[in-house]
Amino acid sequence: MFNVQDIRKDFPILSRKVNGKPLVYFDNAATSQTPQQVIDTIVDYYSNYNANIHRGVHTLSQEATDLYEQARQNIQAHFNAKFSHEIILTSGTTHSINLVANGFSSLLKKGDDIIVSALEHHSNIVPWQMLCERTGAHLKVIPMNEDGELIMEAYDKLLSKNTKLVFVNHISNALGTINPIETIIEKAHAVGAAVLIDGAQACPHVKPDVQKLDVDFYVASAHKMCGPTGVGMLYGKASWLNKLPPYQGGGEMIAEVTFEKTTYASLPHKFEAGTPNIAGGIAFGAAIKYMNTIGFEAIAAYENELLHYATEKLLQIEGLKIYGTSESKTSVISFNLNNIHPYDVGTILDKLGIAVRTGHHCAQPIMDFYKIPGTVRASFAFYNTKKEIDALVEGVKKAKMMLS
Ligand code: 7TS
């Protein structure tokens, strides 16, 4: 049974105070909080197993390697990848996207099209722009509507036999829109294009099945799903990962090195040069286990309840406008108050112990679309409560009074 008060006991940080007030943490889309079970994994690793992996004959190294590879298998099972070597452990979503974009340098040419969406985080825009500069490929954009949804008829028109790659986020970080990725993938495949889905914002809320989606690449960060920072993953179909060249050269990614020629290791090691974030990878596996113990259906149902409760309460405040009004959205509310700058609202909320993000959320094209400098963004996780939302609503009312 889902019991939020019991769940909150797992997160030590939730009992701290900020500016003398109980912390209300509503910046989950930037990073989630870490349960004791995951913190314990990191402490346990450094207390008992710390060693470099894949290279030692000694016991510690073998134990660390086993734990790291077990984490990879937990991640594989969670995303339902066919093989564990289709899971590449990276430093996060940004690293994963850059790895794929770099790999496509040798596969694209002038005259090829690649398609992005208007709803992307900068890390799913800039690496592709850089790829276009290197290859002469052309970047096309699926536009959005006022509700913050992708205009699918426009996507149909952008697709052609020249389309080689499509990359879209599963859920928008700035607005919370859940994109119709099943349709996006199917239509891209119909013209022979590969698809990368940026799941950074989806993985805290849903459990993607990469085989069912038939997606070519799916990327995520551990720190948004109760894991540590500095670790994430790239799922890629083995056929694609075998085709892409390595991203970085170094130790552990080679089969044989001479000064004349180097041959590369097989998957996943070909993409994992150097000593990785070992404790982080193990803790990523533990975070996935933790979230599955709570259950993604229960998480989604509860967060949906929080979203509707907060939306209704916030909309009662005169002059408050919510950006991102799709029926299909997750527990993110981006809003502004009349002409008040979001930064000022965020600063007052912080004085009240309430953590929100303000600004453009690394999604400037979305802000340009609405012709605003930014928004206040409150993003809820399964450990938040309606009482905390009441505190946010009171805080926003106070900010409005002080700033108008
Ligand atoms: N893609 C999306 C959709 C994101 O929301 C983020 C981070 C990234 C990629 C990059 O992830 P990283 O782990 O490599 O940094 N989003 C946010 C955010 O909304 N507020 O802070 C970081």
Side-chain angles (χ1 to χ4, degrees), residues 27 29-31 91-95 97 119-121 123-124 169 171-174 198-201 220-224 231 357 361-362 377:
D27 196 17
T31 201
S91 71
T93 302
T94 304
H95 178 187
I97 294 172
L119 287 175
E120 299 310 306
H121 185 278
S123 67
N124 205 23
N169 60 36
I171 293 180
S172 152
N173 72 313
D198 171 354
Q201 293 294 337
S221 294
H223 71 92
K224 294 195 199 284
V231 65
R357 184 170 173 190
H361 315 296
C362 302
R377 182 186 69 181

